[in-house]
Amino acid sequence: MKKLINAPEDVVDEALAGMAAAHADLIRVEAPNIVVRRNAPRPGKVGIISGGGSGHEPMHGGFVGMGMLDAACPGAVFTSPVPDQMLAATKAVDGGAGVLHIVKNYTGDIMNFEMAAEMARAEGIDVSAIVIADDVAVKDSLWTAGRRGVGGTVLAEKIVGAAAEAGADLATVTALCQKVQDNVRSMGMALTSCTVPQAGKPTFEIGDDEMEIGVGIHGEPGRTRMKLASADEITDMLATPILDDLPFERGDKVLAFVNGMGGTPLIELYIVYNALKKILDGRGVVIARNLVGDYITSLDMAGFSITLLRLDDEFTRLWDAPVHTPGLRWGV
Amino acid sequence: MKKLINAPEDVVDEALAGMAAAHADLIRVEAPNIVVRRNAPRPGKVGIISGGGSGHEPMHGGFVGMGMLDAACPGAVFTSPVPDQMLAATKAVDGGAGVLHIVKNYTGDIMNFEMAAEMARAEGIDVSAIVIADDVAVKDSLWTAGRRGVGGTVLAEKIVGAAAEAGADLATVTALCQKVQDNVRSMGMALTSCTVPQAGKPTFEIGDDEMEIGVGIHGEPGRTRMKLASADEITDMLATPILDDLPFERGDKVLAFVNGMGGTPLIELYIVYNALKKILDGRGVVIARNLVGDYITSLDMAGFSITLLRLDDEFTRLWDAPVHTPGLRWGV
């Protein structure tokens, strides 16, 4: 295992300490391992929280800040955070207007966020939750009933965060988050496995001439294991199921998100974006906004995912709104 | 070779096409493969140009835009661009106030930028050039006489670009670029080799339990090949030679830049940043600004580099100035 770490059991704590030191103007890290927006809670603002296992940086802690999340709960690597973290985060950002939990669809996350929501409600905090389940690759999987929550989560956090920043109430941001979920689809692939530090060996074996199409963000199996193909072919293998699923139709405007898994260089992501643009052009789907880079990663996995969000004027306006977090910043 | 590409010979063209499509609001790509700021040339503004081999994305093309570069000349992967590219870029951004070439210290880049400068001067354009040579790891190397130009280049492009944006003249931005070079030092390391697409195999062999300390951004040999160590130990192996070289002294304010080489996930870079902060705290060196992420990469190499820039008020003000490029953005 080749990693820039000290003890495997200290990976998350030390990375959080590094992030807190690098971005002290934006965030603070508090016990029990929660990342909180520096000026939270803000009276009258709906709090937006997400969380899940670590190993997907910058998601979620890197999206805490102005115009996005108010707090994140990072679990151990690829392990759900515990209800106590989620409750602490909920309390830390409660400004009296309620708190939305944005939950990726993994069994542990769902169960623990539900438990935390109950505990928060018992303390008088109004909590709602939306589950993101945007991965078209597989239905039911390791750790998931139904579809997995992947890249759409990043877009949901940005759009919902912008609405909350502008003063929307809990019912409004909750409905908005559901609307993102209803209009977003994703699929990923891997050239290599990731390696969990405490496991010390690759999560799955894969041949030097093989790739996994439809892989999950923890290295869960996808649709098919096959021989390597060209970037154009691979991009089509991901884009077509996404396009056909919603379906995205001629004339639709979309946000096209090409996401690196952690071990893929940017030069390759731009080659994929070029391929994706040709496919969407061919189907008359218009890329009105885009995002290219590493935003929801899988440790050191080489690979990428595509996420398409069907845009309307509301989504576009909220996407364009200023954001200032460690991982995403514009307009400020 | 596991890469998201089509034909190896099309990698640079397709990546540039993808970048141009994704960032059409900021840049345009013109023959012969130059990345030009969308609204260039701007009358009365000094043009700032850099360039070098591809494979280091987002550098340099990803730094073209408001407050940074006016154009970049991407060569083939790890291959110097040709004088015709540099001349075309120089002419494309010449607004009558002259053009500065920021050149990383590699023999091919130096030679070709000198030739392009002569040709541009023959056409009546005032051209100056500054060589960045900030890598303390080795003196003389494959492709280099003297020190290699590495991470300091990113900081020079940002700071000099901000000055040019604010209307500084050619003599001023040239002197400023030299001042960055005089105050910046870097060193890198690799856990794995990179693989050049057209070579099809790793640039160097390295054992599963080995690392290369002082590696160059093309996989050039460093100071020493040794057994893997902890993140704290490795960070010290890079930070100490940097600190001792300038030297950086107690009370100095610095910009601390932890850069991923392309195949290293962000979670590890934050662990390194945490280690670096402890080292600098211990020596009384104050981190006043920081940058953590992939900015000058080496294809898919796993590893990182540290760059320290000694800050004064002028550098800090120019660093903080708005920038809007594909790879670096704030304040707008």
Side-chain angles (χ1 to χ4, degrees), chain A residues 2 4-6 17-18 22-23 57 191 207-208 210 230-232 265 268 270 273-274 290 299 304 329-332, chain B residues 2 4-6 17-18 22-23 191 207-208 210 230-232 265 267-268 270 273-274 290 299 304 329-332:
Chain A
K2 284 192 155 179
L4 300 164
I5 64 172
N6 294 300
H23 307 289
E57 292 68 24
L191 294 171
D208 283 346
E210 289 181 325
S230 72
D232 284 353
E268 297 180 28
Y270 278 126
Y273 184 82
N274 189 48
N290 68 77
L299 295 169
F304 73 102
R329 179 176 183 181
W330 55 73
V332 63
Chain B
K2 284 193 156 179
L4 301 164
I5 64 172
N6 295 302
H23 306 291
L191 293 171
D208 283 346
E210 289 181 325
S230 72
D232 284 353
I267 192 171
E268 298 180 27
Y270 278 126
Y273 184 82
N274 189 49
N290 68 77
L299 295 168
F304 73 101
R329 179 176 183 181
W330 56 72
V332 63

Side-chain angles (χ1 to χ4, degrees), chain A residues 83-122:
Chain A
D84 279 356
Q85 283 176 279
M86 297 157 174
L87 177 63
T90 303
K91 291 164 75 170
V93 308
D94 173 40
V99 177
L100 170 66
H101 293 174
I102 301 178
V103 187
K104 298 196 303 303
N105 190 32
Y106 298 97
T107 306
D109 290 3
I110 298 276
M111 193 174 66
N112 290 353
F113 265 113
E114 278 177 1
M115 217 178 297
E118 302 249 334
M119 293 190 286
R121 286 183 198 118

Side-chain angles (χ1 to χ4, degrees), chain A residues 1-6 10-23 54-58 77 189-192 206-211 228-234 262-275 277-278 290 292 294 297 299-300 302-304 326-327 329-332, chain B residues 1-6 10-23 54-58 77 189-192 206-211 228-234 262-275 277-278 290 292 294 297 299-300 302-304 326-327 329-332:
Chain A
M1 176 175 62
K2 284 192 155 179
K3 289 187 182 294
L4 300 164
I5 64 172
N6 294 300
D10 295 333
V11 161
V12 172
D13 286 355
E14 290 182 3
L16 287 174
M19 196 169 71
H23 307 289
S54 292
H56 306 298
E57 292 68 24
V77 171
M189 65 81 61
L191 294 171
T192 68
I206 186 163
D208 283 346
D209 59 347
E210 289 181 325
M211 60 181 178
L228 279 176
S230 72
D232 284 353
E233 291 164 336
I234 297 169
T264 295
L266 187 57
I267 191 170
E268 297 180 28
L269 298 183
Y270 278 126
I271 290 172
V272 168
Y273 184 82
N274 189 48
K277 177 153 193 328
K278 286 187 288 186
N290 68 77
V292 181
D294 288 12
T297 60
L299 295 169
D300 51 348
F304 73 102
R329 179 176 183 181
W330 55 73
V332 63
Chain B
M1 175 175 64
K2 284 193 156 179
K3 287 185 184 295
L4 301 164
I5 64 172
N6 295 302
D10 295 333
V11 162
V12 172
D13 287 355
E14 291 181 2
L16 287 175
M19 196 168 72
H23 306 291
S54 293
H56 306 299
E57 291 67 25
V77 171
M189 65 81 60
L191 293 171
T192 68
I206 186 164
D208 283 346
D209 59 347
E210 289 181 325
M211 61 181 177
L228 279 176
S230 72
D232 284 353
E233 291 164 335
I234 297 169
T264 295
L266 187 57
I267 192 171
E268 298 180 27
L269 298 184
Y270 278 126
I271 291 173
V272 167
Y273 184 82
N274 189 49
K277 177 152 193 330
K278 287 186 286 185
N290 68 77
V292 181
D294 287 12
T297 60
L299 295 168
D300 52 347
F304 73 101
R329 179 176 183 181
W330 56 72
V332 63

Side-chain angles (χ1 to χ4, degrees), chain A residues 231-314:
Chain A
D232 284 353
E233 291 164 336
I234 297 169
T235 304
D236 188 64
M237 286 178 216
L238 304 194
T240 297
I242 291 170
L243 287 161
D244 291 346
D245 186 86
L246 195 63
F248 293 86
E249 294 177 337
R250 187 165 296 273
D252 280 351
K253 288 183 183 171
V254 299
L255 188 163
F257 172 24
V258 173
N259 173 66
M261 292 292 201
T264 295
L266 187 57
I267 191 170
E268 297 180 28
L269 298 183
Y270 278 126
I271 290 172
V272 168
Y273 184 82
N274 189 48
L276 178 61
K277 177 153 193 328
K278 286 187 288 186
I279 292 166
L280 296 185
D281 284 351
R283 294 177 64 139
V285 173
V286 180
I287 303 180
R289 295 291 184 276
N290 68 77
L291 185 67
V292 181
D294 288 12
Y295 295 96
I296 167 172
T297 60
S298 304
L299 295 169
D300 51 348
M301 185 188 282
F304 73 102
S305 60
I306 292 173
T307 296
L308 296 182
L309 171 67
R310 188 164 56 189
L311 290 172
D312 61 8
D313 289 347
E314 179 182 39

Side-chain angles (χ1 to χ4, degrees), chain A residues 7-90:
Chain A
E9 61 272 22
D10 295 333
V11 161
V12 172
D13 286 355
E14 290 182 3
L16 287 174
M19 196 169 71
H23 307 289
D25 54 328
L26 300 174
I27 59 169
R28 60 183 200 260
V29 174
E30 291 179 357
N33 266 11
I34 58 173
V35 181
V36 183
R37 186 171 164 180
R38 192 162 184 263
N39 60 357
R42 301 182 65 207
K45 178 186 179 296
V46 172
I48 310 291
I49 289 184
S50 193
S54 292
H56 306 298
E57 292 68 24
M59 191 184 79
H60 299 274
F63 298 141
V64 174
M66 194 277 280
M68 213 162 165
L69 297 179
D70 293 281
C73 321
V77 171
F78 292 179
T79 301
S80 176
V82 295
D84 279 356
Q85 283 176 279
M86 297 157 174
L87 177 63
T90 303

